[in-house]
Amino acid sequence: MTTASDDRVALSDLLFGFALAIDTRDWVAYRNVFTDRIDLDYSSYRPGSAGPISADAWVDRARRLFPGLAGSQHSISNVRIAFEPRGDRATLTSYVRADHYLPNDQGDSLWTLGGIYTHAAVRTDDGWRFDGVTLRMLWNHGNRHVMTLGAERAANVPPPRS
């Protein structure tokens, strides 16, 4: 039987693994932090980006953007974890600062966003997994066009060999 302390460590590892997998482009690890369906809300960043989506489709969206950037770093801090009474669900709330870097001839090389993540987690047979993610963007700075350029560049990057 796991303790609340064990669960807090596991959930923190899951959250930090979520960020690390994006920044290292480890798509297997990124997929493994989610259940098969995710309830997403990134509408504060991109209007219309809310609703249920398959984890495979969500990972594919990341795969079509992040390899086009020269680098990214998602820093997560001030993590709060709240468990539902039965202990099989939890909500994680945290700060995020996400730097996206791509040298270009159309402005600054960096676009940074700051916000609050809310992750909904469920205990599964394979451990804790996220079945919901909300990003509430509070601020941004720099050249947001870096994201468009990254997506365009990623479209020209051949997929990794299996």
Side-chain angles (χ1 to χ4, degrees), residues 64-80:
R64 287 181 283 149
L65 167 64
F66 285 94
L69 298 173
S72 64
Q73 186 171 36
H74 290 72
S75 300
I76 296 178
S77 65
N78 297 40
V79 179
R80 301 285 310 236

Side-chain angles (χ1 to χ4, degrees), residues 2 15 31 42 44 49 62 74 78 81 94 103 113 126 129 158-159:
T2 63
L15 182 60
R31 172 60 183 88
Y42 276 62
S44 68
S49 293
H74 290 72
N78 297 40
I81 302 172
S94 61
L113 75 82
D126 297 319
R129 298 291 184 266

Side-chain angles (χ1 to χ4, degrees), residues 8-112:
R8 285 184 186 285
V9 169
L11 286 162
S12 295
D13 284 349
L14 187 67
L15 182 60
F16 299 139
F18 161 86
L20 184 63
I22 293 171
D23 295 332
T24 60
R25 317 305 187 247
D26 184 341
W27 306 122
V28 172
Y30 191 57
R31 172 60 183 88
N32 285 336
V33 304
F34 299 112
T35 57
D36 289 340
R37 297 230 16 106
I38 317 162
D39 187 20
L40 289 175
D41 186 350
Y42 276 62
S43 59
S44 68
Y45 161 67
R46 182 180 298 136
S49 293
I53 187 171
S54 76
D56 293 334
W58 180 245
V59 171
D60 188 55
R61 283 176 67 170
R63 194 183 314 227
R64 287 181 283 149
L65 167 64
F66 285 94
L69 298 173
S72 64
Q73 186 171 36
H74 290 72
S75 300
I76 296 178
S77 65
N78 297 40
V79 179
R80 301 285 310 236
I81 302 172
F83 293 95
E84 290 189 6
R86 288 194 339 243
D88 60 346
R89 294 199 57 80
T91 301
L92 291 76
T93 306
S94 61
Y95 287 156
V96 60
R97 177 186 168 124
D99 295 308
H100 306 86
Y101 178 71
L102 180 61
N104 65 87
D105 61 1
Q106 299 181 32
D108 191 28
S109 300
L110 187 65
W111 182 65
T112 301

Side-chain angles (χ1 to χ4, degrees), residues 113-127:
L113 75 82
I116 296 175
Y117 267 136
T118 303
H119 285 81
V122 61
R123 187 190 312 270
T124 72
D125 291 341
D126 297 319

Side-chain angles (χ1 to χ4, degrees), residues 118-142:
T118 303
H119 285 81
V122 61
R123 187 190 312 270
T124 72
D125 291 341
D126 297 319
W128 288 97
R129 298 291 184 266
F130 295 131
D131 65 353
V133 182
T134 298
L135 169 64
R136 183 164 50 116
M137 189 169 72
L138 300 176
W139 60 271
N140 69 88
H141 178 76

